[in-house]
Amino acid sequence: MNHSATPDTSTVQPTVVPELPVVEAWFTARAVDESITLIVEPYVHPFLQANIWHIRGRDRNLLIDCGLGVASLRTALPNLFDRETVLVLTHAHLDHMGSAHEFEHCWAHPAEPVMHPLAGTLKTRALFTELGMDPEQAADEPELLISARPHADYAPGDYRLNPAGVTKTLEEGDLIDLGDRQLSVLHLPGHTPGSIALLDSRRGILFSGDVVYDGELLDEIDGADVDEYVNTMRRLRRLPVTVVHPGHGPSFARSRLRELAAQYIAEREGRRPGGDLSVTNR
């Protein structure tokens, strides 16, 4: 055999990450109605692309989650932050609390490590590992979870999640008063120990964070609890809501909420010995 013709595989060449383009507008904002605005980061991979919900109240504004923190939210959308704004974090994952350090008023459940979060990273395999997922699940995904940069000097590899100071802790049943609307806090563990949702019962609107959305729910990551999640889903099925504004993906109606909850319960109960598969939408 001609060994001289055999390629040298003793060293592995590092993956070359293409230079990301620079975009002028990192966020997009769309009015849902006269008081609710949906903000998204369009250049973020779907795995991390979270919904940011802004509600303009009579006496104060409310922001539900705040994205990755790749770019300054307040600087990018100053018209939405022209008065007192309270930030409520549904939980402490990087895609929901990245810009929390920008806000004076930050409220969250005490079980969420907002002041001591995970370091965070935009590198796909590293993030899967940090969350307690198998990094091999990221084999077919891009190396980075963003497809652009907010400015030419931005270095995606240097991303770290900034901790935030919690100025008020939120518990089950607490009310957030905006003057012309009140939202009640629902403690709904499962995805994380301190996951919360906000319910505007008068209008039938639920802001669900990552408790429920129309997609694959992460319940096997570090901090998740399937038994708690099943109990949460049983509760969600009974909520008298008209529309759900989730932490990821499009909004959906109560009928879809009940379908998603029932499907989750059936799948998780069915994995256990003697699990009951007879789940109905009652």
Side-chain angles (χ1 to χ4, degrees):
M1 296 179 63
N2 185 355
H3 293 282
S4 63
T6 302
D8 180 11
T9 58
S10 60
T11 60
V12 177
Q13 296 299 318
T15 302
V16 177
V17 180
E19 184 174 348
L20 300 179
V22 176
V23 293
E24 291 186 10
W26 184 257
F27 301 94
T28 62
R30 175 178 63 84
V32 176
D33 58 26
E34 69 281 355
S35 59
I36 299 175
T37 299
L38 170 61
I39 306 165
V40 297
E41 298 172 280
Y43 301 100
V44 175
H45 187 279
F47 182 74
L48 282 184
Q49 189 183 86
N51 295 330
I52 304 167
W53 298 99
H54 181 280
I55 305 174
R56 183 171 291 275
R58 186 191 66 202
D59 299 339
R60 61 170 60 162
N61 294 343
L62 175 65
L63 189 67
I64 304 172
D65 292 335
C66 57
L68 271 175
V70 168
S72 170
L73 184 56
R74 295 188 71 108
T75 301
L77 301 169
N79 60 310
L80 292 179
F81 303 106
D82 56 352
R83 58 202 290 244
E84 180 184 359
T85 300
V86 170
L87 168 64
V88 168
L89 298 177
T90 61
H91 61 297
H93 284 158
L94 73 167
D95 47 336
H96 296 265
M97 64 160 287
S99 289
H101 62 283
E102 297 186 48
F103 294 88
E104 179 182 357
H105 305 287
C106 178
W107 300 356
H109 192 276
E112 289 300 295
V114 174
M115 293 183 283
H116 305 282
L118 296 173
T121 176
L122 299 177
K123 298 177 181 179
T124 309
R125 292 178 65 90
L127 180 61
F128 275 44
T129 299
E130 183 176 88
L131 293 174
M133 302 171 64
D134 181 358
E136 293 306 314
Q137 293 180 272
D140 296 328
E141 301 296 340
E143 183 170 343
L144 291 175
L145 291 165
I146 58 174
S147 59
R149 293 174 292 161
H151 53 80
D153 296 330
Y154 186 78
D158 294 341
Y159 175 89
R160 292 296 181 272
L161 180 60
N162 286 311
V166 175
T167 54
K168 181 178 179 179
T169 57
L170 296 174
E171 303 277 3
E172 169 73 29
D174 285 348
L175 292 179
I176 300 171
D177 190 358
L178 304 183
D180 54 347
R181 75 165 75 204
Q182 288 187 329
L183 297 99
S184 57
V185 176
L186 308 180
H187 179 213
L188 300 171
H191 179 62
T192 66
S195 284
I196 60 172
L198 299 183
L199 175 64
D200 182 340
S201 58
R202 186 164 72 86
R203 295 170 177 83
I205 300 173
L206 179 70
F207 296 91
S208 67
D210 277 8
V211 171
V212 64
Y213 49 84
D214 201 343
E216 183 179 356
L217 301 177
L218 299 183
D219 63 359
E220 295 181 342
I221 60 175
D222 290 344
D225 187 307
V226 171
D227 289 337
E228 293 274 25
Y229 226 144
V230 168
N231 291 333
T232 282
M233 287 298 177
R234 294 190 188 281
R235 185 178 180 189
L236 287 174
R237 287 168 59 196
R238 300 191 297 268
L239 286 182
V241 301
T242 301
V243 63
V244 178
H245 292 322
H248 296 273
S251 301
F252 49 89
R254 182 188 183 189
S255 58
R256 183 57 178 157
L257 171 62
R258 298 181 72 179
E259 288 174 357
L260 291 169
Q263 179 181 346
Y264 182 90
I265 295 167
E267 290 177 350
R268 293 303 184 255
E269 289 292 313
R271 290 183 184 181
R272 303 171 187 167
D276 181 9
L277 294 176
S278 59
V279 179
T280 63
N281 281 326
R282 60 179 182 273

